[in-house]
């Protein structure tokens, strides 16, 4: 995973989260619900690999290898294409809200929500 960043702490986050939601406790903290119907995912991108795949899933971030080079936004476009295909949403519903020039990114998937069912919580398209 990425090492902790050094330097000044930023005053406000690009994405507000709802920490009072009981559904968010069933998931690692790298996945957050954004009212009314979006989900933010912290991603540690690894561009330049041979195939696109998820490599790690923990509280800090979702590790994703990207099969595109990290230049001219190619890796960002490939990341958004891959995430949308894995989740099963349209590409226009997925966007990078933070970290477009960094390996550590925050991706928002719109029109998604947490659904509580019999002791399990699921993420569903709306």
């Amino acid at each position: 995973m990425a090492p902790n960043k050094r330097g000044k702490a930023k005053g406000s986050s690009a994405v507000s989260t709802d920490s009072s939601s009981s559904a968010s406790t069933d998931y690692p903290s790298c996945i957050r619900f954004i009212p009314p119907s979006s989900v933010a995912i912290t991603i540690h991108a690894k561009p330049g690999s041979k195939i696109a795949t998820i490599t790690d899933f923990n509280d800090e971030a979702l590790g994703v290898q990207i099969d595109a080079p990290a230049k001219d936004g190619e890796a960002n476009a490939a990341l958004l294409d891959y995430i949308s295909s894995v989740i099963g949403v349209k590409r226009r519903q997925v966007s990078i809200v933070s970290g477009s020039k960094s390996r550590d990114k925050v991706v928002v998937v719109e029109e998604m929500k947490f659904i509580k069912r019999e002791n399990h919580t699921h993420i569903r398209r709306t």
Side-chain angles (χ1 to χ4, degrees):
M1 291 308 326
N4 292 334
K5 292 184 180 180
R6 295 181 187 191
K8 296 180 182 178
K10 298 199 177 188
S12 65
S13 173
V15 177
S16 64
T17 60
D18 182 13
S19 59
S20 65
S21 173
S22 62
S24 65
T25 60
D26 294 341
Y27 288 95
S29 61
C30 69
I31 298 178
R32 299 168 306 284
F33 175 67
I34 302 172
S37 64
S38 297
V39 175
I41 307 168
T42 303
I43 294 177
H44 180 72
K46 302 164 193 165
S49 71
K50 292 184 180 189
I51 60 170
T53 184
I54 295 175
T55 59
D56 193 20
F57 184 53
N58 59 36
D59 277 342
E60 294 176 15
L62 175 69
V64 180
Q65 288 183 338
I66 303 301
D67 58 349
K71 66 176 191 179
D72 298 329
E74 290 179 40
N76 287 339
L79 173 67
L80 295 177
D81 288 340
Y82 179 69
I83 293 297
S84 66
S85 69
V86 167
I87 295 176
V89 297
K90 295 178 182 173
R91 166 63 179 82
R92 65 178 168 79
Q93 292 177 250
V94 183
S95 61
I96 297 175
V97 295
S98 175
S100 63
K101 295 186 183 250
S102 170
R103 288 184 179 214
D104 297 318
K105 304 176 186 300
V106 176
V107 172
V108 169
V109 183
E110 297 175 355
E111 300 173 22
M112 301 284 292
K113 62 182 177 179
F114 288 100
I115 296 176
K116 189 79 171 173
R117 288 191 185 166
E118 300 179 27
N119 302 329
H120 298 322
T121 304
H122 302 280
I123 299 176
R124 285 282 174 113
R125 290 181 275 174
T126 56

